[in-house]
Each structure stands twice: as C-alpha cells, then as structure tokens.
Amino acid sequence: MTLPWIPLLTFLGVFVPALAIRGGRTVCALATATAPAVALGLVLFFYLGHDGDEVMRTSLQWLPAMGLELAFRLDGLSLLFLLLILGIGLLIILYTRYYLSEQDSMSRFYAFLMLFMTAMVGIVTSDNLLLLWGFWELTSISSFLLISFWSHETTARKGARMAMTVTGAGGLALLAGIMLIGKVVGTYDMGTVLESHDLITASPLYPAIIVLVLLGAFTKSAQFPFHFWLPHAMAAPTPVSAYLHSATMVKAGIFLMLRLHPALSGTELWTVIVTLTGLVTMVYGAWFAFLKTDLKGILAFSTISHLGLITSLLGLGNSQAMIAALFHIINHALFKASLFMAAGIIDHEAGTRDVRKLGGLYRLMPITTVLTCIATVSMAGLPPLNGFISKEMFFTEALASQQFGGLAWIVPLLAGLGGLLSVAYSLRLAYATFFRRPRQEPPKTPHEPPWPMRFPVELLVALCIIVGLVPTLPQSPILEDAVRATVSGEMPEFHLALWHGINPALLLSMAVIAGGIVLHLLHRHMMRFNRQFKPQDARYIFEGFVQRLVALCQRLIDRLENGSLQRYMFLLMAVSVLAMALGLADLDMLAGSLGQQALDPIVILGAALLIMGGVLTAALHRYRLISLLMLSVVGLVVALTFARFSAPDLALTQLSVEVVTMILLMLALFFLPQKTPKESSGARVVRDVLIATGFGGAVASLNFAVLTRDLNSISNFFIDQSVPGGGGHNVVNVILVDFRGFDTLGEITVLAIAGLAIFKLLNRLRLFMPATDMEGRLWSNDRHPTLLMVVSQTLLPLALLVSFFIFLRGHNQPGGGFIAGLITAVALILLYMSRGVEWAQQRLDFQFQPIAIAGVALSTFTGLCSWLFGYPFLTSTFDHFHLPLIGDIELASALIFDGGIYLAVVGATLMILANLGKLTTAHRPNKDMP
Amino acid sequence: MEALYAITTGILTASGVYLTLRGRTFPVVVGLTLLSYAVNLFLFSMGGLTTHGAALVGTNENYADPLPQALVLTAIVIGFAMTAFAIILAMRARGDLGSDSVDGSRTDREDPRENKA
C-alpha cells in the first residue's frame, strides 16, 4: 500500500527548498510545490480509484510493545482535510514567492512550511492515536518556527512562544487523554477506538478522557479561554497566518473532535462543554473582531469566532449539525485564506494594515477590492455565497436545538448574536479599507499586486462563488464521504441549497443582517463604549504568568540545589538509608536458614583490626596523616581478607592498588592542609553519626541476611566452561578477559579517561608547597636516601620480571593484566620516589597518555579481529602449540586482550601519579612546555 | 563467622559514610576510599564465604564463586581511578579557590605556614 507516501512526500519536500534556492526564487517556489502537488495527485488518484464504502488503511509495525504503529488511513474526513491542506498549501507557496522580500530567507521559510504541512497531513491520515499525537506535537513545533520566522522582532518571538506554550500544554493533556482511551479500549488503533463508543462512554474514566482530549482540541483551535495565543500569532508573515488560521493549525483541533466524534460524543457532558464553549467563543471573537483596527487582528478574531461556530455545531452533534460543521469548515477555509492573503496584499502595497490609515482603496486597487469584498460577503454570511448556506444550516440547527431544557433559547440567541456581529465586522472591514474617504495618506501609494500574487485569491474567491451558486456540484460527494466517516449509523439525507423557502432560519438571518448594519453604523459609539474598559493585553498577562512560574521554580531549585555538597550528600545518604530500611522491613526475619561457619582466631584478629582501623580513620579524621595511616591498615587487612576467603586474584589486586592509593593520597596531602579545622557543630556531628550508624546497620543487616541464605549462583556455567570454552584454568581471569570481556573493555576505557581527565586537571595547577611539616620542622636534606635508591634500582628489573610472569600465568593461575600492570606501575613509581622526578623523567623520556590509549586500542582491536573471522565482537580463541625444548604451550587470543589491559593500567596509573609528582618540581605539567 | 563479617562491613561502611559527610575535601576522599573498601567486601561476600576454594579449575572440589570476584577486581581498579580523580579535583579546587571546603566557598586559609609563603 502506498498511503505512507503522502506524508513522506511532503516530508521529502522539506529538503527541496535548500537545494533549489540556488536556481533562484521562482525555481525554488516551483520545486517546493512539486512535492505537495504530487501528493495531492496521489490523494485524488487513491480516492477516485477505490470503492466508496471501504476505508483505505495501511500499517507498519513500529513499537508494537507500546501499541505504536505507522498506521495511515484515508477516509472521507481525511480526504476533505487533505484537499484543504495540500490545495491551499500550494496556493500559499505561490503567494509566498511574491510576498517575501529579498532579505527573507525563502528556502528556510519553505522548509518550515513543508514541515508544518507534513505534520498536518500526518494528523489527518494517522490511523493510530499515538502516531496522531506525534504529528500533533510536530504542528506545535513547526508552527513555532513559522510564527517566529521574523525572529528579530520581539512580537514574533513572544507570539511564537505563547502559541507553542498553549498548544504544547494542550498537547500534553491530549496525550494523557489518549493514554486513558488506550487503557479503556486496550489499543491505540483508530478503527477499534472509533467502534468502542459504548465501552468508552460507560467507563468511569470517561469524564477525564473528555476533559483531557477537549483541552487538547480547544487549545489548538483557540477556543475561549485558550484563544489568546491566536491574535499574537499574527506577528507571523501573512502567508503563515493565511495557512495556519484558515485551513490547517486551528482546524487540527476541529479535526480531532470530528475524528473522535464517533467514539466520544453523544453524551450530555460532551454536548454541554462543546456547545457552550463554541457559542461563547463565537460571540467573544466576533465582538473583538468588531473592535480591532488591524486588518489581521480583525481576521484573527473572526477566525476565533468562526471556529467557535464550528465547535458549537460539533457539540450539538446530530447528523445535520455535523454536515453543517463540515460544510462550514470548507467555506471558512476558502474565504478566510483569501481574506488573509488579500490583507497581506494590502499590507504589502500600502505599507500598513491599520484600517484607520487606510481608506478609498477601491480607486487604486479595483480588482483586489472586488475580490476582498466577495470574500467578506461570504464571511458575513450574506447570500448568495457559500458562507450564507452554511450559516443558514447553523441557524437551523441552533433553532432546532433541544439542549439545556428550559434554557434552550440560549443557543439561538447566542448564535444570532454571533451572526449579527459577523455582519457588523465584515461591513466595517470592507467599508473602512476600501470605501471610506482616507483620513491620512498611507505610507506607500498602493497599486495592484503582480498577477501571480493575486491569483490564489482569485481562485479561492471563484470557489466561494461556485460553491454558493451551485452547492450541489463539486463538493457534495466529498462532503458525503466526510459525513460518513464522522457519523455512525445510517447516512443522513442532506440537501445543500441557497433557497429553502421562507423558514425561521431565513427570518433570523434577515434580522441578523439588519442588526449588523445598524451596529456598523454605531461603530464609533461602540468604540467609545469599549474605551471605558481597561485594555487587557493577553501578552502581558501571559508573560507575567510565565515569569512568576519561572521565579517559583527558581526558588524551588535554590532550596534543593544550593551548591552545598554537604547538603547533597546528606540528602543522598538519608534517602539511601530510608530505602534500605524499607526493604529490610519487608524481610520475615533477618537470619536465613543457613548455619554459620565457626570462627577462628585469625578471622577474629582480622576483623578487630578492620574495625579498629575503620573507626580510627573516621574518629581521627582531623589529623589527616594519622587518618590516612589508619586507612592503609584497613586496605591491607582487606587484601588479607580476600586471601583468607579464597580470592587470590583479589588479594593481589587489592595489595598493589593499596600501595598506589597510599602514595597518591600522601602526595595529595603534601599540597593540602595537614589538619582539618574543627567546624562541625555538635548537632551536625550527632546528625552525621546517626546517619552513618543507620547506614552501617542497614548494610550489615543486608550482608548478614544474604550470607545466611541459600545462594543460587549462575557461576557454575563459568566454572564448567572456563577450560573448554575459554582455555584457562583461572576462572576469575577467564571471566574478565573472555566471558565478560566487554565489561572489562569498558572499565579500562574509564580508567584511561580518568587518567586523561586528571592530566588535564593538573595542567597549570599552581599550589603552595610547604617548606616544613606541621610542627615547623624543615624537610630532611637527604631527599633521595641512598638505601632506597639502591634497593629500588635493584628491585626494578626483578619487579618487571615478576609482573611479566604474573601476566603470563594469569590465565591459569592467580594473576593477569590488571595485577601485572599494577606491579609494573608500583615498581616504576618506586623509582620516581627514590631518585626524584627529574632523574626518572630523563630516563623514562616518554608520555604515558599514548600507552594508556594504546592499551584500550589493543583490547578493542583484539575484539574487532573476531569480526574478521565472522564471530561476534570479542569472541576469543586459543590453541596449543608444541615448541621444541619448552614443550606444550597454550596461546589464547585473550592473552592479547589482557595485554591491552596491562598497558592501559600501567599508562593510566603512571599518568596519574607521575604527573602529580611533577607538581613538586619545575616540570609542572604545562601545555606551553614541550 | 558470617555475623562478624557483616558487622565488620557495617562498621567500615558507617565510618566511610561519616567521613563523606564532612566539610573538607580530604576527609571526604578518605571516606570515599573507605566506603569503596566496604562495598567491595560486601559485594565479594555475595558469593558466600569460602575457605580453601580458589576458583582455579582442577585444584579442589568446592570452588568459591568466581563471578563476584571478577566484578570486585575491576571495581577495585575503577575505585582507584575514582579516588585519584576526586583527590586531584580537590587539589584543583584548592588551587583555584584557595579553600578546601567541599562547598567551594572562599573561606579562611587554615594553614598558618601559608602566610609566610
């Protein structure tokens, strides 16, 4: 099926303008028009080529687990909107070519426009609610880009932000509503949802669904009280206004209500909310349209008013009202798009769109005058144009409405009032712009625009006339299909005509027209009446609200994130204690079923040393050197603990890391204060002791609970597979370099990155170097004791040999790359310590960064090599070789991987320590020095 | 033995946590190191406490669980990298801010010898 091609084509169109702009502005416009033109042809081809009753659907799996599918449908409703979106879109592209000035980036404008078009096409063709929502949000974003196109203007930026905030917030409400629908129905598939009317309306979630979905629709369609963004969106270039506010963006909300009409409507709740909101919006918008002096302002409020009209029809909800609504959607798009474009032409030619400065234009722009007046007549709902027919249908439905019981008269009253105001503002628009004697000269002397710029207006006005005079002809089958898609059950009879005979609706119409004329004549008095109200600019209210919200959030952030690490640590630890306590409280009893092993004196001694070391480290922390010494006791006994409990690899690692850590911390302490001042208050100490005790108690309980329970380890696999699969007898090492080699690769990468970060942190670091110790004694003159020099130099080759041995045997005996690397590093550091940095630097004249990087690279490369042989990343291999004299020897590719680990560990460790050591000499790490 | 092991781990953890809540960088780094020792001991014990059972295939009947050992081995090395980074960050902060307070405030210079320099 080729339905996805429709949105895809317009999406591809996004990239066309940037390429085509090289050929000039006309070429760019034509090239941009190609994609929507083809898409429009495709739509018509699909539509004409298929059987009337069947809905065309196509779907591709996307995220089936979330119910998200790339599903598209083409039914009568989609078709109606697609014709409007693509058709009017094409006219807008043509119009824009002449509207934009030379300074404006045409390709950027067209790209945004196409993106917006894609989003709209996506909304109306989506066959999955989540997908629809995605496109819905895309319209918010792309309309933001379009409205803020003249981003150098504050009004454009603020208007765009307001539109984005309001419609975006509505979009979130809609998402919530959609998720509730999905929860009730069990799927996001549009077809299923549309057939689940009874299920949804019977659900207790129904009121929430209605409110959330309607929030989305009302914000998008600028219904009262969310209408305020629309007039400010008029800061956009006029083609944008013409497109967004006639046929597309604001109609998206209407479309949503139409689309979900079969599933959600038909209840009292729906009728009350939708009808009342629509009627209020209609009267409100019409009144302000009457008072505005900006051409686009008048049209903006008129748009709000007409959207209210359509919404109220959707609320009434019977099939005749639906027909009227759909018909008015077409008519409104036709006359409003042409009026916006005409307003743009007047603005373009006269240099202003303030009706107070305009007047008498009929002499200078006769053709534009005629066109605009015809469209205005349609907007006012005067015969014999299309606007009249749909308005008559609206009045008929309003008069026939049985809603609100004894207050049923309120519907026709508000409908009539809205219609009356429409007549008044339409008259004012035409009169003030074209016929009134000008009070002042417009900034430019207006003349007729180039013909192609006027052509879209001509075409749309011609359509207005054709639809008005021959309402049965072109749009009937399309309308019929659209009605079928939105009304469940029997297809209602309907007949569109200008003349229905003398009926109540006609009488209401006549009264409304007469009233409108009277109101227009009283315009000056109305303006005076309005002046006594304080003007309310929605922008200030909105901006004030946003600023207060930001300030509130800032205060909240200031309280939570005040820059104090101590507070963060406290919060972190307190929450962790709480989480552990909650988990532990769920246990039936602390001790599990396993019995405990017997104690032996060595274990007791070790535990005593650990406890003493740990407590003294904390207790004596103000005397930093002593605290550090206590820490080293803990580290050493931890190594012994590993050895005691059958972990030789861990013991070796811990031992060598312990040495390196102590050297590091001693070096650091050299540059830091030797004592911590007493600054924690008693209360703070008590609080911290309590937290620490709670934390320790929770960890101890958890540890004990685990140790006394049965263990179902996955390790038997590793033990069984170590020799046959990994070719090594030391299971720990085989896990590191083979089974979980990917983890190890990540870890040596982190190590190398830490080394690099430290190298960077030390760059140009200048620290005070004390000349004496805490008691004021000078450092010893003998900086490099002979004994240490001799021993370290003698030990170096031996240490290197041992590390090589430990590296080689690592696969079968305790050892391996990590341990060997640490031993090498320790030996080299001993050399630095005994001989001084300068001496060592001369002899080890190379950088350590490349070694660490080379190590990571070597390990990665080993992993990649397995791809050459068609195996997954990091697959290892091994084989036995027979060498004369030496005998059988086993070589595993994991050995090379381990070599990478070795290099990374040596490089990173020395990068850290040697560079830190250099701080004590003139060879401080410094970028400027080679 | 298990109870003693758990108590030891708990006390080491508590000492580490107390130190990480201090207001100066050096005790915090020492506390982090102590805490990582405790965490390593804790994780290591997740495979049970085995005597004379190094996970070398063919040496005995009852192997210690090798998986926690492998994980702790890398944790030790990464812990070293973390300690190193934290302490050097602390030095940098002192160099740039003139204070070793964890909140980075430019407060008193505690070391009396520095005034002479």
Side-chain angles (χ1 to χ4, degrees), chain A residues 858-921:
Chain A
L858 181 65
S859 293
T860 315
F861 176 73
T862 317
L864 289 175
C865 273
S866 47
W867 278 355
L868 286 182
F869 302 97
Y871 291 103
F873 185 57
L874 279 173
T875 310
S876 74
T877 179
F878 62 94
D879 208 347
H880 294 264
F881 299 92
H882 186 80
L883 293 180
L885 292 178
I886 297 173
D888 251 346
I889 187 165
E890 183 194 301
L891 282 178
S893 70
L895 197 69
I896 305 173
F897 184 80
D898 219 9
I901 298 175
Y902 172 82
L903 286 179
V905 170
V906 172
T909 313
L910 282 174
M911 199 169 10
I912 295 166
L913 283 170
N915 283 320
L916 185 55
K918 278 185 211 168
L919 282 186
T920 58
T921 68

Side-chain angles (χ1 to χ4, degrees), chain A residues 219-283:
Chain A
T219 47
K220 204 73 152 182
S221 286
Q223 295 297 296
F224 185 84
F226 308 110
H227 62 281
F228 56 86
W229 65 265
L230 197 147
H232 292 287
M234 289 300 139
T238 300
V240 174
S241 311
Y243 196 41
L244 263 59
H245 305 134
S246 67
T248 53
M249 168 113 160
V250 293
K251 293 282 171 64
I254 303 283
F255 172 82
L256 183 75
M257 288 190 267
L258 279 166
R259 175 56 95 202
L260 294 178
H261 196 267
L264 299 181
S265 71
T267 61
E268 185 127 352
L269 193 65
W270 169 278
T271 309
V272 171
I273 298 180
V274 179
T275 312
L276 275 186
T277 308
L279 286 171
V280 169
T281 309
M282 179 186 174
V283 175

Side-chain angles (χ1 to χ4, degrees), chain A residues 497-818:
Chain A
L498 267 178
W499 179 251
H500 283 280
I502 296 181
N503 56 13
L506 186 67
L507 293 175
L508 182 58
S509 260
M510 283 157 69
V512 158
I513 291 168
I517 293 170
V518 172
L519 195 65
H520 170 63
L521 295 175
L522 295 173
H523 181 260
R524 189 172 309 181
H525 302 285
M526 290 296 154
M527 289 295 274
R528 197 176 304 139
F529 171 70
N530 184 55
R531 234 168 266 144
Q532 45 183 325
F533 298 101
K534 211 170 126 209
Q536 293 273 346
D537 193 333
R539 199 169 45 205
Y540 295 123
I541 302 170
F542 177 80
E543 288 291 326
F545 171 72
V546 169
Q547 275 166 18
R548 275 200 300 282
L549 192 67
V550 170
L552 180 74
C553 294
Q554 192 60 51
R555 276 205 298 282
L556 207 67
I557 290 171
D558 286 345
R559 190 163 295 179
L560 272 180
E561 198 181 322
N562 63 349
S564 163
L565 183 75
Q566 255 184 308
R567 163 149 337 167
Y568 304 157
M569 285 306 287
F570 167 70
L571 290 174
L572 190 70
M573 294 297 175
V575 171
S576 312
V577 171
L578 202 67
M580 280 194 288
L582 287 176
L584 283 167
D586 272 352
L587 283 182
D588 291 334
M589 55 189 304
L590 187 59
S593 53
L594 282 186
Q596 292 196 45
Q597 301 173 43
L599 284 168
D600 60 59
I602 302 289
V603 171
I604 296 174
L605 179 66
L609 277 173
L610 276 178
I611 291 170
M612 185 205 72
V615 169
L616 286 182
T617 309
L620 301 175
H621 75 90
R622 290 186 48 228
Y623 309 95
R624 294 181 172 179
L625 190 62
I626 299 176
S627 174
L628 195 55
L629 292 178
M630 291 300 134
L631 181 71
S632 70
V633 172
V634 176
L636 286 175
V637 182
V638 167
L640 293 176
T641 311
F642 289 141
R644 167 66 181 77
F645 294 112
S646 315
D649 288 281
L650 285 191
L652 284 171
T653 314
Q654 174 68 36
L655 198 63
S656 34
V657 164
E658 182 59 24
V659 174
V660 186
T661 308
M662 281 309 135
I663 296 171
L664 170 81
L665 289 179
M666 297 270 262
L667 250 177
L669 188 56
F670 176 67
F671 294 103
L672 291 170
Q674 305 299 306
K675 278 188 183 174
T676 305
K678 201 176 172 112
E679 53 188 5
S680 297
S681 63
R684 170 67 61 92
V685 170
V686 169
R687 183 196 81 176
D688 291 349
V689 167
L690 284 178
I691 291 263
T693 314
F695 207 106
V699 167
S701 315
L702 193 59
N703 201 356
F704 183 68
V706 173
L707 281 176
T708 50
R709 278 170 171 77
D710 245 340
L711 173 72
N712 189 10
S713 175
I714 56 169
S715 295
N716 286 333
F717 167 81
F718 298 119
I719 293 170
D720 294 341
Q721 291 298 316
S722 181
V723 176
H729 288 77
N730 181 1
V731 188
V732 176
N733 184 268
V734 175
I735 290 176
L736 283 176
V737 299
D738 194 335
F739 293 126
R740 302 196 61 83
F742 204 36
D743 284 4
T744 311
L745 183 62
E747 272 156 301
I748 57 171
T749 312
V750 172
L751 192 65
I753 291 172
L756 286 174
I758 286 166
F759 180 67
K760 185 70 195 151
L761 275 176
L762 288 174
N763 188 34
R764 291 165 188 259
L765 177 62
R766 309 247 162 211
L767 282 169
F768 166 74
M769 268 192 285
T772 61
D773 71 358
M774 270 316 274
E775 273 75 45
R777 289 172 297 209
L778 287 173
W779 301 121
S780 163
N781 280 331
D782 188 10
R783 297 189 71 173
H784 306 299
T786 319
L787 192 64
L788 187 60
M789 276 200 294
V790 174
V791 171
S792 67
Q793 230 171 318
T794 325
L795 272 179
L796 182 66
L798 199 63
L800 291 180
L801 193 69
V802 168
S803 77
F804 187 63
F805 169 68
I806 281 194
F807 170 71
L808 274 187
R809 74 172 204 162
H811 219 42
N812 293 313
Q813 296 286 315
F818 274 114

Side-chain angles (χ1 to χ4, degrees), chain B residues 9-91:
Chain B
T9 317
I11 289 177
L12 288 183
T13 313
S15 306
V17 168
Y18 178 77
L19 284 177
T20 56
L21 292 168
R22 296 303 90 210
R24 299 284 165 156
T25 50
F26 192 80
V28 170
V29 176
V30 169
L32 281 177
T33 314
L34 196 55
L35 197 57
S36 63
Y37 289 159
V39 170
N40 287 342
L41 282 177
F42 178 79
L43 290 179
F44 168 67
S45 73
M46 291 300 108
L49 301 175
T50 316
T51 311
H52 300 307
L56 304 170
V57 176
T59 52
N60 55 54
E61 288 298 305
N62 185 25
Y63 296 118
D65 196 338
L67 193 59
Q69 293 193 18
L71 298 181
V72 169
L73 199 154
T74 47
I76 293 172
V77 180
I78 290 283
F80 164 67
M82 191 259 313
T83 305
F85 184 78
I87 193 70
I88 303 243
L89 195 63
M91 289 172 61

Side-chain angles (χ1 to χ4, degrees), chain A residues 197-505:
Chain A
H197 175 262
D198 296 341
L199 188 65
I200 295 174
T201 49
S203 156
L205 289 173
Y206 177 70
I209 292 176
I210 282 284
V211 169
L212 289 168
V213 170
L214 286 180
L215 267 179
F218 286 175
T219 47
K220 204 73 152 182
S221 286
Q223 295 297 296
F224 185 84
F226 308 110
H227 62 281
F228 56 86
W229 65 265
L230 197 147
H232 292 287
M234 289 300 139
T238 300
V240 174
S241 311
Y243 196 41
L244 263 59
H245 305 134
S246 67
T248 53
M249 168 113 160
V250 293
K251 293 282 171 64
I254 303 283
F255 172 82
L256 183 75
M257 288 190 267
L258 279 166
R259 175 56 95 202
L260 294 178
H261 196 267
L264 299 181
S265 71
T267 61
E268 185 127 352
L269 193 65
W270 169 278
T271 309
V272 171
I273 298 180
V274 179
T275 312
L276 275 186
T277 308
L279 286 171
V280 169
T281 309
M282 179 186 174
V283 175
Y284 180 94
W287 172 248
F288 281 96
F290 182 56
L291 296 176
K292 286 285 153 185
T293 52
D294 175 20
L295 269 182
K296 276 174 81 177
I298 298 174
L299 293 176
F301 276 100
S302 152
T303 302
I304 294 176
S305 168
H306 280 274
L307 291 168
L309 188 160
I310 299 169
T311 304
S312 65
L313 278 169
L314 296 181
L316 292 174
N318 62 55
S319 50
Q320 292 300 325
M322 296 301 286
I323 296 163
L326 285 164
F327 192 41
H328 197 67
I329 287 169
I330 304 175
N331 296 333
H332 178 252
L334 293 179
F335 67 67
K336 196 49 70 63
S338 55
L339 278 173
F340 266 118
M341 285 194 259
I345 289 174
I346 293 165
D347 186 15
H348 205 258
E349 300 301 329
T352 178
R353 12 173 248 253
D354 190 333
V355 288
R356 288 169 299 188
K357 296 179 187 160
L358 294 167
L361 286 185
Y362 77 96
R363 249 181 291 231
L364 299 161
M365 310 169 75
I367 304 175
T368 309
T369 305
V370 171
L371 292 171
T372 313
C373 286
I374 295 172
T376 311
V377 167
S378 178
M379 174 164 79
L382 303 181
L385 294 175
N386 57 351
F388 174 72
I389 306 176
S390 47
K391 199 192 63 182
E392 287 289 288
M393 293 162 78
F394 171 56
F395 282 171
T396 311
E397 292 313 313
L399 287 165
S401 157
Q402 298 302 316
Q403 302 296 336
F404 310 114
L407 293 174
W409 49 268
I410 206 164
V411 177
L413 179 77
L414 287 174
L417 194 57
L420 186 147
L421 287 165
S422 298
V423 175
Y425 70 69
S426 302
L427 270 175
R428 168 164 164 73
L429 175 83
Y431 171 75
T433 314
F434 298 109
F435 302 110
R436 195 184 56 196
R437 186 172 302 146
R439 290 180 204 162
Q440 58 187 94
E441 281 294 303
K444 277 158 64 179
T445 307
H447 50 79
E448 285 290 342
W451 176 73
M453 187 170 181
R454 213 175 52 212
F455 171 74
V457 187
E458 288 172 359
L459 186 70
L460 290 170
V461 168
L463 282 173
C464 281
I465 299 172
I466 293 170
V467 173
L469 294 180
V470 206
T472 44
L473 236 190
Q475 74 283 3
S476 273
I478 297 170
L479 200 57
E480 208 177 294
D481 277 349
V483 171
R484 193 177 290 130
T486 46
V487 179
S488 40
E490 277 297 293
M491 181 65 199
E493 284 286 316
F494 71 95
H495 179 63
L496 303 175
L498 267 178
W499 179 251
H500 283 280
I502 296 181
N503 56 13

